[in-house]
Amino acid sequence: MGFPLFSLCFFLCLVGTYAFNWDSYWHSVLPNTQFPNSLRNAIQPEGRNAPVTRYLPAGDPVTIKINYAPNRQQSPKTQSRDGKNAPVTRYLPAGGPVDIRINYAPNQQGNPTITYEHDVTTFFLETNLHVGQRMKLHFPESKNDAKFLTRKAAESIPFSSNKLPEILKHFGIKPNSVQADRVRSAIEQCEAPAIKGEDKFCATSLESLIDFGVSRLGRGVQVYSTEVNGGKGEKQVYSISKKVEKVGGRSVVCHEQNYLYAVFYCHEIRATTAYKVSLAGADGTNVETVALCHTDTSSWSPQHVAFQMLKVKPGGLPICHFTSRDNLVWVP
């Protein structure tokens, strides 16, 4: 079928060759900082070479979820669908069963696609951060299963728009495919000039992510992520259940990107205050999250959706929003 198995094998071997103990690196640099749960999904299982996203000959993406059975040495299992352009076999150096899960979009000739749930951010004023305040919110699980490469592995693969043809060829992606557009978009976002008051960086490895946070805020930091307990974070009315705690007048925020392996867009935006907030959902779900309040919105576009929602103007009252489950907030 023309599937570029050499690219897949090279990628898997690359990850395995440079396997490292992420826990040791984190705690050697940040010994007093708890590792955030939201990052665990982006970590390669120890001793495993788990691929993230693989591509069909047509260049359309297919998500592969790999389940490793302990203490079993079996060839990978394969699932395919008649009449579909499904991959046939994938081989992992470690062996073990493989579950290939393909999502086919209707009315598109059976071409598989990856779907992401997009939810409009709820903006609110800083004055709303008090016990009893009710808001309709949504904290969906991240659908991004991309895993970190080590710094050495990541640096051996180009990550720039002028190397796009080389990147696509390396991963066996057709230049005019949907996935090629996503790769291009992620790189261009990382290369775009910083806005006023912003210091930005795209971390292509866990080590580089840690190093950027430390370079901006030092080693005495806490790293927060949104935690959902007792539910799935469904869209519903949440109430602020505890006294809101200010945790930082400076912060670095990292957003996970839709890329071939784990990449985080990190930036420090000045004139931003971070608050730790406890929320209780109508169905009993409890959420621990961070609210970011931007105190200087004078450089924002007058057409920004926040101004339309809140009926305020640029440079007015501080505008806030909660962070999603795949975001990291670093504060001193």
Side-chain angles (χ1 to χ4, degrees):
M1 296 174 61
F3 186 84
L5 286 175
F6 72 94
S7 295
L8 172 64
C9 293
F10 179 80
F11 179 69
L12 293 177
C13 294
L14 189 65
V15 175
T17 300
Y18 299 122
F20 81 117
N21 190 327
W22 56 266
D23 186 69
S24 295
Y25 189 80
W26 177 276
H27 291 295
S28 68
V29 180
L30 301 169
N32 300 313
T33 305
Q34 183 176 353
F35 192 85
N37 286 332
S38 65
L39 265 186
R40 297 187 186 279
N41 187 55
I43 300 300
Q44 295 284 357
E46 187 174 357
R48 301 298 187 182
N49 302 318
V52 183
T53 304
R54 299 297 171 257
Y55 309 93
L56 299 183
D60 291 308
V62 53
T63 298
I64 298 180
K65 180 181 179 182
I66 297 183
N67 299 316
Y68 290 96
N71 303 319
R72 294 179 64 181
Q73 297 296 325
Q74 297 182 356
S75 298
K77 295 187 301 185
T78 302
Q79 295 179 355
S80 61
R81 293 173 59 167
D82 292 339
K84 304 298 184 182
N85 193 16
V88 180
T89 307
R90 299 294 171 268
Y91 298 99
L92 296 180
V98 177
D99 174 27
I100 298 178
R101 184 179 57 192
I102 301 177
N103 299 320
Y104 290 95
N107 303 322
Q108 292 187 15
Q109 304 301 317
N111 289 329
T113 61
I114 300 175
T115 56
Y116 293 89
E117 182 173 1
H118 297 279
D119 191 44
V120 176
T121 300
T122 297
F123 293 95
F124 53 92
L125 298 176
E126 193 174 32
T127 53
N128 296 131
L129 285 174
H130 58 80
V131 175
Q133 178 67 47
R134 292 161 57 88
M135 299 180 224
K136 193 169 186 178
L137 303 168
H138 190 202
F139 297 96
E141 292 186 45
S142 172
K143 291 181 169 38
N144 193 339
D145 291 327
K147 308 297 182 187
F148 274 120
L149 301 182
T150 64
R151 181 177 0 227
K152 188 173 183 180
E155 288 179 350
S156 72
I157 304 172
F159 187 82
S160 65
S161 55
N162 62 359
K163 294 287 187 179
L164 184 62
E166 185 177 339
I167 296 170
L168 299 181
K169 182 179 179 180
H170 180 87
F171 289 100
I173 303 173
K174 297 294 183 180
N176 297 323
S177 66
V178 173
Q179 188 62 23
D181 289 339
R182 289 173 177 162
V183 170
R184 182 183 299 105
S185 177
I187 294 175
E188 288 177 349
Q189 182 177 3
C190 288
E191 293 179 338
I195 63 174
K196 180 182 177 181
E198 177 191 40
D199 292 318
K200 58 178 285 191
F201 173 74
C202 274
T204 58
S205 66
L206 178 60
E207 299 100 313
S208 61
L209 184 151
I210 294 170
D211 291 348
F212 178 75
V214 170
S215 72
R216 305 312 304 161
L217 302 176
R219 295 187 178 219
V221 297
Q222 293 300 320
V223 183
Y224 295 98
S225 60
T226 295
E227 305 283 349
V228 176
N229 302 297
K232 297 182 179 180
E234 303 285 356
K235 181 180 290 186
Q236 60 181 305
V237 174
Y238 289 86
S239 300
I240 298 179
S241 57
K242 298 179 183 178
K243 183 178 178 180
V244 175
E245 176 187 356
K246 180 180 176 179
V247 294
R250 291 182 63 197
S251 61
V252 169
V253 183
C254 297
H255 311 268
E256 190 170 9
Q257 301 299 290
N258 179 16
Y259 198 65
L260 303 166
Y261 46 87
V263 172
F264 279 77
Y265 177 102
C266 298
H267 55 160
E268 180 184 14
I269 303 178
R270 298 176 182 86
T272 299
T273 305
Y275 295 91
K276 188 177 179 180
V277 182
S278 298
L279 300 167
D283 67 351
T285 301
N286 293 306
V287 178
E288 298 294 327
T289 187
V290 174
L292 295 175
C293 294
H294 303 277
T295 56
D296 182 6
T297 59
S298 58
S299 63
W300 291 19
S301 168
Q303 283 73 47
H304 195 289
V305 64
F307 299 134
Q308 301 175 36
M309 290 174 62
L310 300 173
K311 309 301 181 185
V312 295
K313 296 181 178 181
L317 295 172
I319 293 177
C320 310
H321 59 88
F322 293 115
T323 56
S324 63
R325 292 168 77 166
D326 58 0
N327 289 175
L328 302 171
V329 180
W330 300 61
V331 297

